[in-house]
Amino acid sequence: MALKLFQKLGLLTQFSFHYYARPVCVRLLYTSSLGHSSCVSCLCTSAGCCIQRHGCRKLQMDCRTRNVTTIVREPSFLASSSGLHRDSELRFRLTQLHRPSADEEQDFQRQLESCSTSRQVFKLLRSVEILSDTMAAASLHRVADLELEGSALRDPSVLEKDTIRALCFQLEQDSTRLTEAGLVSALLACTRLFLDPWSTLMVRLVSESQNRLDSGQMTVGELCTLGCAMLAMEGPGSVMLEQAMTQIQKQEPTRWSLPDLIAVYRLLEGCVGEDGKYRDLLNAMHTHAVTVTSRMDPAAVSGVLSSLVALNQMQAMPLVISLCKQAVRHIPHFSDQELTRVLGALIHFGHSDHYFVEAMEKHVPTMAFTYHPETVSKVTQFFSRRNILSTTVFDAVAESFVYRADSYSTSQVARQIMAFGTLGYLPPNAGQLFRKVETILHTRFSQFQPRTLLSLLHACTLVERFPVNFVSKVFSSYFLQQLQDQDMRIERAVLAQLTQLYITVKLECPFYEGPRLLPKYRVKSFLMSSRSLETPVDQQLYNSVKTGLEDLLGDRSFFGSKVLTPYCYTLDVEIKLDEEGYVLPASHTDDVYKRIALCIDGQKRFTTNVRQLLGKEVIKQRHLQLLGYEVVQIPFYEFEKLPSKSRVVEYLHQKIFPHTFRLSW
């Protein structure tokens, strides 16, 4: 078996333990006597059948140093009249003949979920004499939940505990008598605990799972659990995974339970390749999922949205919209992680719902001080990406930032401030907020990734907060080298940020005397196809304004369109005047006394819920004024109200020449 997950983490090889009370040899780690890897079929004991017919699965890892045999005490069952202390022995009995009742299993599961440490899990296990296989597997999963940190166990020594060893020993001995659900769940739990794939326990569980898979009797949920285990062990190329997916595809999604549907989505996250071989299955699942979203709980809504993102199912927008509507009901009940996933999915698919936003506005201010920092950052990202300015949300975020920012990562700090810059909003405590930002920059400057730092400083300038003390470091040759990619180039969007930061320093911080940005790092235009620092003019609105200008000025030649200035900004319309106030032809370059820049601001230049210009449009108009232009704003909400052509001409006249009486042109 090719086990990428275990190539770096052969955790059990670190330990050698010896217990002396009634020893029973259990080989949790295996090395062949010849010192090389063997196929699974060569290792199967009588408890598991040979799987040689499915091909030899070679380990892609070096097992030559793995020769530790661990010793554990055999589980014993003492009578109550025994003189020994009952708590001194581990008592596990995995039974199928007299299984615990459903109520007992549910009660055990509730107690298990309430455990906050592995030690509490072990204590709970020692208090239970009879376990079902599913209860045993759930216990291993809970230990994994508590100990997993990234791609390793927080405390690998947890695998030394007698309780774990005794439990694994019983699973190994009873592998052929486990239910399908208990078998595959135990196998998945073992992968999450990074047990050696060549241990006797793992080999027996895999072998028995293969037998059950061949019988074709597994349910969809059990097939998904087995698929996740094999995906962790062997990767997307696993033969057993492919076999499980084949059986899943033979069933109609409309007949699946809701947990089964969610389980298949989760499995497909890891095994769908770019060839799209499961496209038909996914489309059928999407169609069915739309009909059952009203029954999804917070975990289900979050899980499906997360899967759709991982699978990049852009064609599943009806399902995304339906899930967003269901999410409105669950906002107060989402965990931090679930809400983070939901917001990330809505950002990915570019969707927002009015009712969802309203629910967020009610809930976020009450939780801003208790949310996980990543959740707060994702909240601000969601609102800024959708260009939604919610003062209640951002005021609460700004207040919590002042008190909590020291515990934020540099990325979280940057993303929250970038949201304020994007929307061009200053909260009531702006002074405290940006003093906190400055403190963080002073104390943690070197911890910021170069592009993250640049985005943070650029965002500050959008709301007229000028980080002069740090600009000199940004324009240094060392920092500019850090911005380069593998091809020794800097992305054009990054160069645009550098250029605008440089222009801001020149225009608004004349006292700055630090390094300048070299010409080779400057762009000529801020207008780009993506990540543009300017919003392109709305073409329909522009055409209407252009027609009105032709009537006002008498001819098309008296104004220029989409004029690129020497300072990288593009003017929607430019009108030139001589010293006496007469309009000059657009081609005229001499004797130009005054320049008027018309900003034809369509809806995309404003926040979606209130009529406030976005930060990048505010800084553009501010800079044009500093460059000597008279800026005239033509907002869509004023222009679209004009009922006739004559009213359009009158409106433009009042806007552009408010102090001039028009006799005739």
Side-chain angles (χ1 to χ4, degrees), residues 41-70:
S41 59
C42 304
L43 299 176
C44 291
T45 65
S46 59
C49 298
C50 178
I51 56 174
Q52 190 171 3
R53 61 185 180 278
H54 297 289
C56 181
R57 298 177 173 87
K58 294 291 186 180
L59 271 178
Q60 296 179 358
M61 56 190 295
D62 186 359
C63 295
R64 287 174 293 181
T65 61
R66 302 195 171 192
N67 52 9
V68 178
T69 298
T70 61

Side-chain angles (χ1 to χ4, degrees), residues 499-517:
T499 305
Q500 191 168 55
L501 190 60
Y502 174 66
I503 290 176
T504 300
V505 170
K506 286 192 65 177
L507 294 177
E508 303 190 68
C509 306
F511 52 85
Y512 172 74
E513 297 180 352
R516 305 294 183 183
L517 183 67

Side-chain angles (χ1 to χ4, degrees), residues 108 176 229 250 311 367 483 643 658:
F108 177 82
T176 58
K250 292 179 180 179
L311 296 167
M367 301 295 292
L483 290 173

Side-chain angles (χ1 to χ4, degrees), residues 318-336:
L319 177 55
V320 173
I321 294 171
S322 183
L323 288 168
C324 182
K325 291 179 179 178
Q326 180 68 0
V328 174
R329 300 169 52 188
H330 296 317
I331 283 178
H333 311 294
F334 281 124
S335 68
D336 285 7

